[in-house]
Amino acid sequence: MKIGELAVQTGVSVRSLRYYESQGLITPIRQANGYRTYSPLAVETVETIKLYLNLGLSTEQIAGFLHCVLKNKEAFCAEVMPLYQTKLADIEKQLLQLNQIKLNLEQRMAAILHEQEQSDSGQEVDTRLSPKCACP
């Protein structure tokens, strides 16, 4: 099948397929005219790549174990679990950072609303930024 057909069958753009090829994730056969021809197994390969991309892994990380998971069950590929553990730790760190940013925003919004209420009631308002932000 040609690259356009593979793109349609997998829902992946031709540009992405070319990128996957440049990263060594898929390997087409080149015809004499330079066209790429893919085996029917390329659909499964691209679907597997999509799965791992949706887990937040990079194409470089995927390249490190893709061959193994295409031939074996994921549980038998030693490279997978350490990547999952590292990715999960990264996500947990990002969640902590995002929660801190959320708290900081909520505090700033509360301070602004408080200042507006004081202004509306005729009280004098200190317009300087208050150091309530618990910035990391």
Side-chain angles (χ1 to χ4, degrees), residues 73-118:
K73 288 188 173 191
E74 202 175 41
F76 297 111
C77 297
E79 307 90 347
V80 175
M81 191 57 75
L83 276 174
Y84 282 0
Q85 291 167 333
T86 300
K87 187 64 181 176
L88 188 57
D90 290 345
I91 290 169
E92 287 171 350
K93 183 179 177 182
Q94 290 172 345
L95 286 171
L96 287 172
Q97 292 171 339
L98 287 171
N99 280 325
Q100 186 60 58
I101 292 169
K102 179 180 180 262
L103 178 63
N104 293 343
L105 283 168
E106 289 170 344
Q107 290 173 344
R108 287 305 313 143
M109 291 170 63
I112 290 169
L113 290 172
H114 179 71
E115 288 177 17
Q116 289 174 344
E117 290 170 1
Q118 284 183 339

Side-chain angles (χ1 to χ4, degrees), residues 19-125:
Y19 177 72
Y20 297 166
E21 180 184 347
S22 74
Q23 297 298 302
L25 298 174
I26 58 175
T27 307
I29 298 167
R30 290 286 186 157
Q31 296 177 339
N33 60 6
Y35 287 1
R36 294 167 175 89
T37 303
Y38 295 90
S39 77
L41 295 176
V43 173
E44 178 187 350
T45 302
V46 173
E47 293 297 338
T48 302
I49 293 166
K50 286 171 43 178
L51 167 78
Y52 290 116
L53 288 172
N54 285 331
L55 291 176
L57 300 178
S58 68
T59 54
E60 184 178 276
Q61 291 169 318
I62 296 166
F65 64 82
L66 182 63
H67 184 73
C68 181
V69 298
L70 289 172
K71 291 190 174 215
N72 305 293
K73 288 188 173 191
E74 202 175 41
F76 297 111
C77 297
E79 307 90 347
V80 175
M81 191 57 75
L83 276 174
Y84 282 0
Q85 291 167 333
T86 300
K87 187 64 181 176
L88 188 57
D90 290 345
I91 290 169
E92 287 171 350
K93 183 179 177 182
Q94 290 172 345
L95 286 171
L96 287 172
Q97 292 171 339
L98 287 171
N99 280 325
Q100 186 60 58
I101 292 169
K102 179 180 180 262
L103 178 63
N104 293 343
L105 283 168
E106 289 170 344
Q107 290 173 344
R108 287 305 313 143
M109 291 170 63
I112 290 169
L113 290 172
H114 179 71
E115 288 177 17
Q116 289 174 344
E117 290 170 1
Q118 284 183 339
S119 177
D120 290 346
S121 67
Q123 297 177 6
E124 189 173 317
V125 177

